[in-house]
């Protein structure tokens, strides 16, 4: 009965980790619709104004036929441009709908599986692992490797390569001291960033100001003052400290001993800006701040971790058979393995609502607890004399009389 409960598949618990899989296409669809709506409103308003002006001048005979035709041609050109933009939005919408359908189908397969031992679940888990690896590679800038892995595994519709490639490009441009692409991204998402009360655009404008002052060129200094009046001073109520620093920066050259202003000239600010952009980008698209692989690995390590994994008794005797099904050695415990032991050291223990233990628990003199039947079986296989038992971890031998019965309270 306990094995049945343990191996039973609960799809809802899997969907907790896979929420971004469906959420991101929805956010991109919403953004795509806003772009299409903005283009329609902008071009239709411009055409209506031009049409009204053309009709008025034609009726009053203030325009020649050539001027009227020129106005009509300009309106047609605007409409053709709008058609191209809407076609691009339509193609993007179809792509996102196809992605959503593939992802819904992928997650829906879980509901056709009843047990974790199902062969289909193993295949599904491998696909999810591939998705997590692609996500990790994209977040860390390994775009080409991520593309190749997604293509090889046939999971292009289950990963968001384009979104993370754009993020990676802007992040790298910031790390190289260029804010143009980041500012263009801010302009594209201006309304959403304002709703989020994000300070990304202000900090980018602030960095632009710092770079202008850094040159100490007279023309650049005049340009920096104009820049501050346009982009920084209007936000003095929201960012009083930064605006005050901007005003005082004109009096300090690069290399100054004043700590408050030497930090502004530091190149490390570009790294902080790239980090701020990534955080804002992920928050805007409802993406986790850390790779999904880290979340899954942390949950798995926490679920498998036990106090004995990092205890002083975790010295394994080489005499224990690695193939023994009754052995509690590093060969069967992932957390005790060399690869995962250090990773799991600072991970908290999982909260287990149900525990499954042996009914004949006994306590050895060294503080270790095992099932008596399992101890006797192992001792018999180890060739010990009757009345002796052997610790499964470190191989210590004790008399049966020194073993104490353990009761679960």
């Amino acid at each position: 009965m306990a094995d049945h409960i343990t191996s039973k598949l609960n799809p809802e618990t899997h969907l907790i980790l896979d929420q971004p899989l469906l959420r991101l296409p929805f956010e991109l669809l919403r953004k795509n619709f806003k772009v299409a709506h903005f283009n329609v409103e902008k071009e239709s308003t411009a055409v209506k104004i031009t049409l009204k002006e053309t009709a008025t001048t034609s009726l009053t005979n203030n325009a020649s036929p050539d001027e009227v035709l020129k106005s009509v041609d300009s309106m047609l050109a605007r409409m053709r441009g709008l058609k191209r933009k809407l076609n691009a939005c339509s193609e993007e919408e179809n792509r996102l709908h196809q992605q959503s359908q593939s992802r819904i189908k992928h997650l829906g397969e879980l509901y056709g599986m009843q047990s974790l031992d199902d062969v289909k679940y193993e295949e599904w888990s491998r696909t999810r692992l591939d998705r997590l690896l692609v996500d990790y590679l994209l977040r860390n800038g390994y775009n080409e490797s991520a593309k190749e892995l997604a293509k090889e595994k046939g999971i292009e519709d289950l990963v968001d390569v384009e979104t993370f490639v754009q993020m990676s490009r802007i992040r790298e441009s910031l790390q190289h001291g260029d804010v143009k692409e980041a500012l263009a991204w801010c302009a594209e998402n201006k309304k959403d960033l304002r709703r989020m009360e994000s300070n990304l655009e202000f900090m980018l404008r602030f960095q632009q100001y710092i770079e202008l002052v850094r040159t100490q060129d007279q023309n650049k200094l005049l340009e920096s003052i104009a820049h501050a009046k346009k982009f920084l001073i209007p936000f003095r109520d929201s960012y009083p400290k930064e605006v005050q620093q901007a005003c005082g920066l004109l009096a300090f050259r690069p290399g100054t001993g004043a700590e408050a202003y030497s930090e502004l000239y530091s190149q490390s600010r570009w790294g902080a800006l790239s980090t701020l952009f990534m955080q804002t980008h992920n928050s805007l698209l409802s993406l986790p701040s850390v790779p999904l692989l880290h979340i899954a690995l942390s949950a798995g390590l926490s679920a498998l971790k036990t106090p004995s994994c990092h205890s002083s008794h975790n010295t394994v005797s080489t005499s224990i058979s690695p193939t023994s099904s009754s052995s509690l050695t590093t060969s069967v415990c992932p957390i005790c393995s060399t690869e995962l032991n250090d990773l799991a050291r600072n991970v908290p223990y999982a909260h287990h609502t149900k525990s499954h233990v042996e009914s004949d628990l006994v306590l050895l003199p060294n503080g270790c607890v095992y099932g008596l039947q399992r101890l006797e079986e192992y001792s018999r296989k180890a060739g010990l004399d009757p009345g002796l038992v052997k610790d499964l971890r470190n191989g210590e031998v004790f008399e049966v009389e020194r073993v104490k019965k353990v009761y679960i309270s």
Side-chain angles (χ1 to χ4, degrees):
M1 181 62 183
D3 292 339
H4 172 70
I5 296 174
T6 305
S7 63
K8 185 178 180 181
L9 176 63
N10 183 3
E12 303 300 328
T13 58
H14 289 70
L15 295 181
I16 294 175
L17 182 64
D18 292 316
Q19 287 181 13
L21 193 66
L22 295 179
R23 186 176 296 167
L24 184 56
F26 171 77
E27 294 292 339
L28 295 178
L29 279 168
R30 187 171 60 86
K31 179 181 176 182
N32 187 65
F33 174 78
K34 286 185 176 181
V35 170
H37 183 265
F38 173 78
N39 288 328
V40 170
E41 291 294 323
K42 178 183 176 181
E43 299 300 335
S44 61
T45 300
V47 168
K48 287 177 183 178
I49 294 174
T50 305
L51 181 60
K52 184 177 180 179
E53 292 175 351
T54 302
T56 302
T57 54
S58 298
L59 292 174
T60 57
N61 296 321
N62 291 332
S64 64
D66 290 339
E67 291 175 338
V68 174
L69 289 174
K70 186 177 180 180
S71 297
V72 173
D73 288 340
S74 68
M75 288 187 285
L76 290 173
R78 276 186 172 275
M79 289 295 100
R80 292 192 189 99
L82 176 60
K83 183 180 179 181
R84 286 194 297 271
K85 292 177 182 178
L86 292 179
N87 283 337
C89 289
S90 177
E91 291 175 1
E92 176 69 4
E93 183 178 353
N94 291 333
R95 185 185 70 83
L96 291 172
H97 278 306
Q98 180 181 346
Q99 271 193 356
S100 297
Q101 291 174 359
S102 299
R103 297 176 184 200
I104 291 172
K105 180 181 178 182
H106 171 66
L107 295 177
E109 292 174 356
L110 277 173
Y111 291 88
M113 308 170 195
Q114 302 300 323
S115 169
L116 297 174
D117 300 325
D118 196 322
V119 177
K120 294 181 180 179
Y121 177 74
E122 181 179 353
E123 182 180 350
W124 188 91
S125 297
R126 290 185 179 278
T127 301
R128 182 172 66 170
L129 178 59
D130 293 333
R131 287 196 294 106
L132 298 183
L133 289 173
V134 171
D135 174 80
Y136 178 83
L137 292 172
L138 289 171
R139 286 174 181 266
N140 288 276
Y142 302 105
N143 298 329
E144 294 303 319
S145 298
K147 289 179 182 178
E148 290 300 319
L149 178 59
K151 183 178 180 180
E152 179 183 340
K153 300 297 183 178
I155 56 173
E156 290 94 335
D157 286 340
L158 302 180
V159 292
D160 304 287
V161 176
E162 294 80 4
T163 300
F164 283 103
V165 165
Q166 181 193 34
M167 183 192 75
S168 179
R169 186 177 66 250
I170 297 175
R171 178 184 60 190
E172 290 176 2
S173 69
L174 286 172
Q175 291 172 346
H176 289 90
D178 185 8
V179 299
K180 292 180 181 178
E181 288 194 64
L183 284 172
W185 183 85
C186 288
E188 185 180 342
N189 299 278
K190 196 175 190 67
K191 290 184 179 179
D192 291 325
L193 293 177
R194 188 182 299 118
R195 175 177 52 82
M196 293 168 52
E197 298 182 353
S198 170
N199 66 338
L200 176 61
E201 183 175 1
F202 177 85
M203 298 307 293
L204 292 172
R205 295 295 185 184
F206 189 23
Q207 190 64 36
Q208 275 187 315
Y209 172 81
I210 294 172
E211 296 306 314
L212 289 171
V213 177
R214 190 195 301 274
T215 63
Q216 292 296 303
D217 179 75
Q218 190 64 30
N219 293 330
K220 292 291 185 181
L221 289 174
L222 292 174
E223 184 181 343
S224 69
I225 295 173
H227 178 89
K229 288 181 178 179
K230 183 177 181 181
F231 297 111
L232 303 183
I233 301 300
F235 298 96
R236 58 182 176 274
D237 293 334
S238 302
Y239 308 101
K241 179 183 176 181
E242 288 78 5
V243 172
Q244 288 176 6
Q245 287 180 321
C247 295
L249 191 65
L250 290 169
F252 295 88
R253 293 175 175 271
T256 178
E259 184 179 353
Y261 294 98
S262 63
E263 290 178 355
L264 295 181
Y265 285 121
S266 174
Q267 293 296 327
S268 63
R269 285 182 57 86
W270 289 108
L273 277 176
S274 66
T275 301
L276 176 60
F277 165 73
M278 289 176 59
Q279 293 172 347
T280 306
H281 175 274
N282 292 338
S283 178
L284 181 68
L285 296 178
S286 302
L287 292 171
S289 57
V290 296
L292 292 173
L293 183 63
H294 287 185
I295 299 174
L297 186 59
S298 298
L301 292 175
S302 182
L304 296 174
K305 182 179 177 181
T306 63
S308 63
C309 293
H310 297 98
S311 70
S312 58
H313 299 289
N314 201 22
T315 304
V316 184
S317 173
T318 56
S319 64
I320 300 178
S321 172
T323 58
S324 175
S325 60
S326 62
S327 173
L328 290 178
T329 66
T330 56
S331 62
V332 296
C333 177
I335 308 303
C336 293
S337 67
T338 307
E339 296 81 5
L340 297 179
N341 192 262
D342 286 339
L343 283 176
R345 189 171 299 278
N346 297 319
V347 173
Y349 297 107
H351 174 64
H352 296 284
T353 58
K354 295 182 179 179
S355 298
H356 303 286
V357 297
E358 294 164 287
S359 58
D360 57 345
L361 293 179
V362 292
L363 175 68
L364 297 181
N366 63 1
C368 295
V369 177
Y370 305 100
L372 179 59
Q373 182 180 352
R374 188 149 54 94
L375 274 176
E376 292 175 343
E377 179 185 352
Y378 176 69
S379 300
R380 187 171 59 256
K381 290 181 179 180
L384 297 180
D385 295 333
L388 297 177
V389 291
K390 191 174 185 179
D391 192 306
L392 303 180
R393 290 191 182 89
N394 53 31
E396 291 185 67
V397 179
F398 303 97
E399 296 178 354
V400 176
E401 289 77 10
R402 299 180 61 191
V403 173
K404 296 181 180 179
K405 177 69 175 176
V406 174
Y407 298 93
I408 303 299
S409 59

